[in-house]
Amino acid sequence: VDFFGPTELVNMYNKPPNPLIPLLLFQVIGGNPSTHAALYQQSSPLDFVTAQRPPTIILHGGIDIVVAPSQSLLLKNQLTSMGVVNEYVFYPTENHGWTGANLADSFEKIQTFINANAYDEKTIIAQTGIHVVFLLSAIAIAYSDRIMSGTSTHREVQESH
């Protein structure tokens, strides 16, 4: 699950959604892409996409002033080129985060995506190693309202996978 995350930091530095982003990246990484190329590459999730990555849902707002929507499109295109199941959800009127109906819609889409593409835990560990914690956290978030409200039992959730 990717909520409007940066994916390729050199691109983000060179094509920022606002003029403060290169300054922020410079401070966080300790330099620019020319002086710290390896750190920019090592900090860019796009460079770690392989065919073994788990299914990924990407959500992004169209007026994001922190991470340009093009960052999510780069990830979507890379996942697609590697044959990784993915879905891109675009909210044209949202910024870097949202609330209300679009947030509820986001979690519905995440839940539907996870239900359609979930692996069992052993497959996740075998294919992604440390990513298992993040994916299992995403599953817990997606199901928490159903489980906590009593509309779905733990057993029903397990059987849906």
Side-chain angles (χ1 to χ4, degrees), residues 57-92:
I57 184 169
I58 306 161
L59 304 101
H60 213 115
I63 56 173
D64 192 331
I65 62 168
V66 178
V67 178
S70 61
Q71 290 283 306
S72 287
L73 289 173
L74 288 170
L75 179 60
K76 180 203 180 336
N77 293 338
Q78 184 72 356
L79 290 166
T80 299
S81 74
M82 293 290 183
V84 177
V85 173
N86 69 85
E87 181 179 338
Y88 177 64
V89 182
F90 184 69
Y91 294 96

Side-chain angles (χ1 to χ4, degrees), residues 18-41:
N18 78 63
L20 296 176
I21 297 303
L23 298 172
L24 175 65
L25 288 170
F26 188 94
Q27 290 298 314
V28 169
I29 294 182
N32 63 44
S34 297
T35 62
H36 290 70
L39 280 174
Y40 275 80
Q41 185 272 329

Side-chain angles (χ1 to χ4, degrees), residues 90-158:
F90 184 69
Y91 294 96
T93 61
E94 296 294 355
N95 202 329
H96 193 72
W98 46 89
T99 60
N102 282 343
L103 183 61
D105 181 70
S106 296
F107 282 104
E108 285 295 321
K109 284 182 170 43
I110 291 167
Q111 183 174 355
T112 299
F113 184 83
I114 290 172
N115 285 343
N117 297 290
Y119 290 112
D120 62 74
E121 186 174 338
K122 288 180 184 175
T123 302
I124 294 169
I125 292 169
Q127 290 189 353
T128 64
I130 64 171
H131 299 285
V132 68
V133 174
F134 183 71
L135 184 57
L136 291 177
S137 295
I139 291 169
I141 290 168
Y143 285 114
S144 65
D145 62 329
R146 286 178 56 199
I147 295 168
M148 297 304 283
S149 69
T151 60
S152 179
T153 66
H154 179 69
R155 182 178 177 85
E156 289 170 335
V157 171
Q158 285 180 326

